[in-house]
């Protein structure tokens, strides 16, 4: 299992289908690879058997609710429809399959891996983010070996094979905590690469969240020394203030200022059925036009989740997250789950201004984070 997951971590960010007329040559192939990876984990898990039993009543409640919304929003309507003009909602079906595959994969991962396995996977994540950073920095300096492939949001073109600079920033943001807990010097030195690439990507949201998570890490490390904690808080505040005062940098940044307008339009759809939601993947069918562009994602996973599965589903998801963090073994010395916990916090914060759940390489790290936080 550990070799299979390591291979998935290293390969997934590089999966593309370079066909010019394809709707999305970067993200769609990775989504397909995500499903194939989940299938492989499920098959391997069934072949080898599970090592530990796993029980989570909050996850059971969330799954029951999502399956109910799936049944009511597209499964039952399809069965009852006899009209020849009925059209399948491919986006709803796709997202449903993603969820089911990820759910089964999660069960076999959390029931199979031990503490040492998670330590090995953390190194694989470090290597993966370092390779992406090298590619991104080469692009930043105009030395990309693959030329100007794809569509880029800004002129700096730090996109690797993740489609755009914001997604590169998101990937590096969830990867950086793993460098903080590596004991080997080569991994600590390797951490300079994703830090430099994160700044080059100019993903403001990712940079701010990375700073906040870094502060959380330092507060945990120096939890017994209030004076050092205070000095670290002041130092990080000064650095973030200097960052925001650098107007030239912010003018070049690719954080999309149009998102507030898209969220306002999305909220109008949310009001159609706020409590129960309208079905998995329904947002893509809205085809929201704003600022001359077609928005297929809300760029806010929390809002999109509320549209998909309603406030009931969001509430159950929050309960699941709170229960997972509450049961985390904070008092265990040198707990290998700490970088996963910090990365999990980064993932949840990125959901407020991006679509990390729908970006396969980042979503897979998020899945591993949840497994580790539940297990360790």
């Amino acid at each position: 299992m550990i070799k299979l997951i390591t291979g998935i971590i290293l390969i997934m960010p590089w999966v593309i289908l370079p066909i010019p007329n394809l709707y999305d040559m970067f993200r769609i192939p990775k989504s397909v690879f995500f499903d194939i990876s989940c299938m492989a984990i499920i098959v391997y898990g069934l072949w080898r058997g599970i090592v530990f039993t796993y029980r989570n009543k909050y996850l059971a409640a969330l799954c029951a609710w999502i399956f109910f919304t799936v049944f009511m929003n597209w499964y039952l309507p399809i069965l009852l429809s006899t009209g020849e003009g009925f059209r399948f909602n491919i986006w709803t079906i796709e997202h449903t399959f993603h969820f089911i595959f990820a759910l089964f994969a999660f069960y076999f991962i959390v029931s199979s891996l031990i503490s040492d396995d998670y330590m090995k996977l953390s190194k694989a994540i470090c290597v993966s983010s370092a390779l992406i950073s090298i590619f991104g920095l080469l692009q930043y300096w105009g030395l990309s070996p693959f030329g100007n492939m794809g569509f880029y949001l800004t002129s700096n073109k730090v996109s690797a094979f993740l489609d755009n600079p914001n997604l590169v920033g998101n990937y590096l943001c969830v990867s950086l905590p793993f460098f903080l807990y590596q004991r080997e010097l080569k991994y600590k030195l390797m951490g300079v690469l994703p830090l430099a690439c994160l700044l080059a990507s100019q993903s403001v949201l990712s940079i701010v969240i990375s700073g906040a998570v870094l502060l959380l890490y330092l507060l945990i490390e120096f939890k017994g020394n209030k004076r050092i904690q205070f000095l670290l808080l002041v130092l990080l505040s000064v650095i973030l203030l200097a960052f925001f005062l650098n107007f030239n940098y912010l003018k070049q940044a690719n954080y999309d200022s149009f998102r507030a307008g898209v969220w306002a339009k999305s909220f109008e759809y949310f009001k159609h059925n706020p409590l129960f939601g309208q079905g998995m993947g329904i947002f893509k069918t809205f085809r929201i036009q704003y600022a001359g562009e077609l928005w297929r994602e809300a760029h806010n996973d929390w809002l999109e989740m509320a549209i998909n599965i309603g406030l009931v589903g969001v509430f159950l998801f929050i309960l699941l997250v709170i229960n997972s963090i509450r049961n985390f073994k904070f008092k265990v010395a040198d707990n290998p789950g700490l970088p996963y916990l910090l990365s999990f916090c980064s993932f949840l914060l990125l959901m407020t201004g991006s679509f990390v759940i729908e970006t396969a390489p980042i979503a897979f790290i998020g899945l591993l984070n949840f497994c580790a936080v539940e297990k360790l």
Side-chain angles (χ1 to χ4, degrees):
M1 182 72 80
I2 183 66
K3 292 181 179 179
L4 173 61
I5 298 176
T6 298
I8 293 170
I9 292 171
L10 295 175
I11 294 173
M12 190 179 295
W14 303 93
V15 175
I16 64 169
L17 196 58
I19 300 176
N21 295 327
L22 186 65
Y23 153 62
D24 190 335
M25 70 174 70
F26 295 102
R27 277 179 279 163
I28 288 180
K30 290 179 177 62
S31 295
V32 174
F33 187 79
F34 178 91
D35 289 340
I36 294 173
S37 299
C38 290
M39 292 178 196
I41 291 171
I42 294 167
V43 171
Y44 188 84
L46 289 171
W47 180 267
R48 296 299 298 269
I50 60 175
V51 180
F52 310 100
T53 57
Y54 176 75
R55 174 179 176 270
N56 190 324
K57 60 183 180 181
Y58 295 98
L59 180 60
L62 176 63
C63 291
W65 176 257
I66 291 178
F67 289 146
F68 172 74
T69 62
V70 166
F71 185 80
M72 297 302 295
N73 282 296
W74 72 264
Y75 185 79
L76 186 62
I78 287 176
L79 291 180
L80 297 179
S81 175
T82 57
E84 296 181 359
F86 185 85
R87 297 178 61 186
F88 283 90
N89 182 355
I90 185 63
W91 299 114
T92 296
I93 296 174
E94 179 203 11
H95 281 67
T96 302
F97 279 127
H98 289 330
F99 173 75
I100 293 173
F101 288 143
L103 176 64
F104 277 96
F106 161 79
Y107 179 77
F108 282 106
I109 292 172
V110 79
S111 301
S112 302
L113 299 189
I114 60 176
S115 178
D116 289 344
D117 293 331
Y118 287 104
M119 295 177 68
K120 294 176 182 177
L121 291 178
S122 69
K123 294 180 179 180
I125 294 173
C126 290
V127 172
S128 177
S129 62
L131 293 174
I132 290 173
S133 299
I134 292 172
F135 190 6
L137 290 171
L138 287 175
Q139 290 177 311
Y140 183 75
W141 293 321
L143 301 173
S144 175
F146 296 96
N148 297 326
M149 292 183 61
F151 172 74
Y152 302 97
L153 293 180
T154 61
S155 59
N156 69 17
K157 301 178 182 178
V158 180
S159 64
F161 279 164
L162 294 174
D163 186 34
N164 66 66
N166 276 320
L167 294 181
V168 171
N170 294 169
Y171 188 90
L172 299 178
C173 179
V174 298
S175 301
L176 280 172
F178 296 98
F179 290 94
L180 299 173
Y181 286 92
Q182 296 298 331
R183 296 179 179 178
E184 297 178 54
L185 180 60
K186 61 182 179 181
Y187 286 102
K188 292 185 179 297
L189 294 176
M190 196 186 298
V192 176
L193 290 171
L195 185 60
C197 189
L198 176 62
L199 295 173
S201 73
Q202 299 182 334
S203 175
V204 176
L205 180 67
S206 302
I207 293 172
V208 171
I209 291 176
S210 296
V213 171
L214 174 61
L215 174 62
L216 179 59
Y217 161 76
L218 294 173
L219 292 176
I220 293 174
E221 287 294 298
F222 296 98
K223 59 184 177 182
N225 194 319
K226 299 295 184 182
R227 180 175 296 180
I228 293 181
Q229 286 184 333
F230 177 75
L231 292 176
L232 289 170
L233 181 61
V234 172
L235 177 60
L236 188 61
S237 300
V238 170
I239 294 174
L240 289 176
L241 180 63
F243 167 75
F244 281 110
L245 291 177
N246 188 347
F247 293 110
N248 290 331
Y249 181 87
L250 290 177
K251 285 179 181 178
Q252 299 170 9
N254 51 58
Y255 185 76
D256 200 332
S257 60
F258 297 134
R259 292 183 184 182
V262 175
W263 295 343
K265 282 181 169 287
S266 302
F267 187 73
E268 295 300 317
Y269 287 98
F270 163 73
K271 291 190 293 186
H272 292 174
N273 195 349
L275 194 60
F276 300 105
Q278 301 170 57
M280 299 281 286
I282 194 68
F283 185 87
K284 285 183 171 60
T285 66
F286 297 155
R287 301 185 64 83
I288 292 178
Q289 294 282 345
Y290 189 80
E293 295 184 15
L294 175 63
W295 296 73
R296 297 181 184 272
E297 294 87 15
H299 289 69
N300 185 324
D301 280 335
W302 293 100
L303 176 57
E304 194 163 334
M305 189 189 306
I307 294 172
N308 290 341
I309 59 176
L311 292 178
V312 174
V314 173
F315 174 73
L316 292 173
F317 179 79
I318 293 174
L319 281 183
L320 174 66
V321 171
I322 292 174
N323 178 70
S324 183
I325 295 176
R326 181 171 59 88
N327 292 330
F328 185 77
K329 300 177 181 65
F330 287 98
K331 296 182 180 180
V332 175
D334 298 322
N335 189 337
L338 278 172
Y340 287 95
L341 175 64
L342 294 179
S343 180
F344 189 43
C345 291
S346 298
F347 186 89
L348 294 172
L349 290 172
L350 286 170
M351 287 172 59
T352 61
S354 189
F355 46 99
V356 289
I357 288 181
E358 298 188 43
T359 306
I362 307 173
F364 191 74
I365 293 180
L367 180 66
L368 292 177
N369 289 338
F370 183 53
C371 291
V373 172
E374 283 287 296
K375 186 66 172 290
L376 303 176

